[in-house]
Amino acid sequence: MSKDCILCGKCLEVCPLLRATGREELSPRAKADLVRLLDGDGGELREANVARLASLCLGCKRCRAVCSQDVDVPGLVAMLRAAHPDFKQWLWKTWLSHAGTLWSAGSTAAGLIPERFRPEKFGPMLKMLAGLKGGPGLTPFLSPQKFPDTSRGEKMLLFAGCTATHVQGRWLMAALRLLDGLGIEVLPGDFGCCGASLEAGGCLDEAKAMAKHNLAVWRAAGRPKVAVFCASCRAGLLGYSDCRDEEECLLWRKSILPLSEVVKNTEFMIFDNAPEKLGYHHPCHAGDGDPDFGFLSAVLGERLAAPSGRECCGFGGLLRLAAPEVAEDVNRRCWDALTGPEVIVTGCSACVAQLAATAPEGTAVGHWLELIG
Ligand code: SF4
Ligand code: SF4
């Protein structure tokens, strides 16, 4: 990881925090500068200020993608968070490390709190928790009619991610049905969390342990392809660096496939209950050539509205806990770009949670897998 920021300012154009707040001190450049200061004597910086600044990042990695010096600002922020742990980080770590026991129960408990009793500050957070289990979800209107033979007989692992494994079983079932239709044998593999959110929150040891576990699962299965249907999980998996050697790292990265890529030549029938227009939210972690958008465009044609911008949803893990008002500023811009269609789909579990919790009245949000009946 390079720390050699040349202060060129290229990252200023893409940072959702800076775009939403106009506060230069939240920019990637300012964070890189902060790290440089701390590498020296730390100047006048107090511990609490460092911890506060380190918590103000969405971990979207947009800055890294445009940086000519390969400065990994979210990686540096994660290291700062690791060096300055606080209660919010502990909460985040506990929430992610015990997803199996906490998510379903937490979602049920949050759903029991009447809206009028939800403190205003935590309203969106509680709504997001309550919505984790997903309510009725989107009404399916796509039915696979003809599967290509190109993958028939192949063996693959499926990385479902924490949300589908613990609270959104219908995504997992839809993915399994698609893979079955393609004639792909899904190998057993007990993957854990991808670790990306843990890393972004500064829980570096826990993130490393998850990566180690997932790589071991992949090796035990004979290092096959791995289908993934969450953009953030995919980015997390692609970021693993603890393979045995460079050759294995290359093979690992090559084996990680978006599910939408695996199913892309399937023919679907569109039922009459399909909405006239659907909106699409580009997850930050999907990168430039978002494969889910390409797949959905091919299936839905003009029904899928061209996005009017690629705004971040404002989830960003710790930011929701550390500075909900800043997360809301980012989220507002996202809805300004999405407003129009009454159904919004995306391919990232964190974006679904965030957008479903903040959607305007009458707008439904879901993973694209929910469209498939
Ligand atoms: S982090 Fe990279 S893009 Fe941003 S100011 Fe520094 S060198 Fe430029
Ligand atoms: S990771 Fe995203 S939110 Fe954080 S500094 Fe970079 S662009 Fe801004």
Side-chain angles (χ1 to χ4, degrees):
M1 181 195 306
S2 165
K3 287 186 184 175
D4 299 328
C5 172
I6 54 170
L7 306 176
C8 68
K10 213 168 163 207
C11 53
L12 304 184
E13 293 156 29
V14 297
C15 175
L17 279 188
L18 180 61
R19 281 153 61 97
T21 63
R23 288 167 57 188
E24 165 103 35
E25 76 271 20
L26 304 184
S27 73
R29 181 168 69 182
K31 290 185 178 88
D33 210 30
L34 169 72
V35 173
R36 188 187 54 74
L37 253 178
L38 291 169
D39 270 356
D41 63 3
E44 298 292 302
L45 285 166
R46 287 175 41 227
E47 170 89 6
N49 291 340
V50 177
R52 171 80 182 149
L53 283 167
S55 69
L56 295 171
C57 174
L58 290 154
C60 68
K61 303 196 177 182
R62 289 180 181 216
C63 49
R64 188 170 191 191
V66 299
C67 179
S68 60
Q69 303 300 302
D70 194 28
V71 180
D72 179 6
V73 173
L76 295 172
V77 167
M79 287 190 336
L80 276 184
R81 282 177 180 165
H84 301 272
D86 60 8
F87 171 68
K88 288 169 198 125
Q89 190 192 68
W90 173 85
L91 200 62
W92 190 235
K93 181 166 68 180
T94 307
W95 177 248
L96 290 169
S97 308
H98 298 85
T101 42
L102 291 182
W103 286 27
S104 182
S107 180
T108 305
L112 291 174
I113 303 173
E115 257 185 58
R116 65 183 189 282
F117 293 146
R118 292 177 186 171
E120 201 181 325
K121 192 173 167 199
F122 299 117
M125 190 69 162
L126 289 170
K127 198 171 169 199
M128 186 160 77
L129 268 182
L132 261 183
K133 277 190 175 169
L138 303 181
T139 310
F141 61 81
L142 290 174
S143 171
Q145 296 299 296
K146 194 167 169 220
F147 289 98
D149 281 328
T150 36
S151 310
R152 203 157 289 285
E154 243 186 272
K155 295 179 185 199
M156 270 187 208
L157 283 163
L158 177 63
F159 187 94
C162 298
T163 305
T165 303
H166 302 302
V167 282
Q168 289 278 10
R170 62 185 154 202
W171 300 355
L172 178 57
M173 295 316 291
L176 287 171
R177 282 198 304 272
L178 286 173
L179 292 170
D180 185 50
L182 287 161
I184 293 171
E185 182 186 338
V186 178
L187 299 167
D190 183 22
F191 282 127
C193 165
C194 67
S197 293
L198 283 164
E199 187 180 347
C203 313
L204 304 184
D205 291 343
E206 291 76 8
K208 258 187 184 304
M210 293 290 181
K212 200 173 162 198
H213 169 80
N214 291 333
L215 284 166
V217 168
W218 174 65
R219 277 185 208 114
R223 304 199 292 186
K225 290 177 185 165
V226 183
V228 191
F229 52 79
C230 168
S232 288
C233 293
R234 185 157 50 85
L237 297 173
L238 287 171
Y240 287 1
S241 54
D242 281 347
C243 304
R244 285 183 181 144
D245 50 35
E246 191 47 36
E247 194 187 335
E248 192 187 48
C249 267
L250 279 175
L251 185 60
W252 166 253
R253 285 196 281 269
K254 241 174 105 179
S255 71
I256 304 298
L257 296 177
L259 179 68
S260 54
E261 187 78 31
V262 180
V263 299
K264 72 177 175 194
N265 291 321
T266 303
E267 289 173 23
F268 289 87
M269 176 182 274
I270 302 178
F271 291 134
D272 291 345
N273 64 336
E276 266 176 42
K277 278 277 178 224
L278 290 97
Y280 182 81
H281 168 70
H282 278 287
C284 292
H285 292 126
D288 279 345
D290 183 346
D292 293 353
F293 182 69
F295 162 71
L296 287 172
S297 298
V299 173
L300 298 171
E302 291 188 354
R303 257 179 230 275
L304 194 65
S308 62
R310 297 186 72 143
E311 300 294 337
C312 173
C313 70
F315 181 83
L318 226 46
L319 192 77
R320 261 251 162 253
L321 294 170
E325 69 292 348
V326 180
E328 273 161 37
D329 286 342
V330 177
N331 178 258
R332 214 168 292 122
R333 280 179 68 95
C334 185
W335 276 113
D336 286 346
L338 282 174
T339 301
E342 287 175 359
V343 177
I344 307 293
V345 286
T346 187
C348 166
S349 47
C351 298
V352 171
Q354 168 76 333
L355 293 176
T358 54
E361 192 73 29
T363 303
V365 180
H367 193 288
W368 60 263
L369 278 167
E370 291 172 44
L371 303 179
I372 299 167

